[in-house]
Amino acid sequence: MATHLNITVVEDHEALRVATVEVLRQQGYQACGLDSASPLGDSAAEFAANIFIVDSKLLSEDGLSLVHRIRSLRPEAGIIMTGGLLSAANRNAIFERGADVYLTKPVMPEELIAAVGALQRQLKG
């Protein structure tokens, strides 16, 4: 079971956000969900999570833009982006902007937990 790892889920689809946060909490993670990028301002203090899970198609701010902003303010944070099936070129762009992992929706809970665990090991390293 995980401990003391804070995860922020930025997902505008309410049912998916609630389910994702619940799966993470069941694994012992401290997780919170945001329906948009708006609560995340422009200072590193507002990005207090260790890992961010970001939907690629947010209504408030493009997910790729948010990933880039997170990476510039919190270079040590782990970032998982979720979205539709993409070409290799589009996935490369996501990694170049700062995401560590890209998961295609629908994301299976086991796959999400495995990705979070991999990032957690990197954070501890």
Side-chain angles (χ1 to χ4, degrees), residues 24 30 45 50 56 69 76 82 99 103 105 125:
L24 294 166
Q30 301 295 318
N50 306 104
S56 64
R69 202 155 55 96
E76 75 287 355
T82 63
L103 299 176
K105 290 182 177 180

Side-chain angles (χ1 to χ4, degrees), residues 10 12 14 19 43 58 73 101:
V10 187
D12 51 14
E14 183 178 5
S43 74
L58 296 169
L73 292 169
V101 176

Side-chain angles (χ1 to χ4, degrees), residues 60-99:
S60 63
E61 178 180 355
D62 176 72
L64 200 54
S65 171
L66 178 57
V67 165
H68 183 69
R69 202 155 55 96
I70 293 168
R71 183 59 66 213
S72 66
L73 292 169
R74 294 286 313 280
E76 75 287 355
I79 303 173
I80 298 170
M81 181 172 259
T82 63
L85 188 59
L86 296 177
S87 69
N90 287 340
R91 282 183 187 237
N92 289 343
I94 288 169
F95 296 130
E96 287 170 4
R97 295 289 287 198

Side-chain angles (χ1 to χ4, degrees), residues 3 7 9 11 15-17 32 35 37 47-48 53 59 70-71 77 80 90 92 94 96 99-100 102 105-107 111:
T3 58
I7 301 173
V9 177
E11 169 64 62
L16 186 53
R17 181 181 62 252
C32 72
D35 63 358
F47 290 83
I53 301 172
L59 297 176
I70 293 168
R71 183 59 66 213
I80 298 170
N90 287 340
N92 289 343
I94 288 169
E96 287 170 4
D100 297 300
Y102 184 83
K105 290 182 177 180
V107 178
E111 183 181 22

Side-chain angles (χ1 to χ4, degrees), residues 1-7 24 27-30 50 120 124:
M1 284 291 219
T3 58
H4 306 297
L5 187 69
N6 293 310
I7 301 173
L24 294 166
Q27 294 298 312
Y29 296 110
Q30 301 295 318
N50 306 104
Q120 183 177 16
K124 286 183 179 180

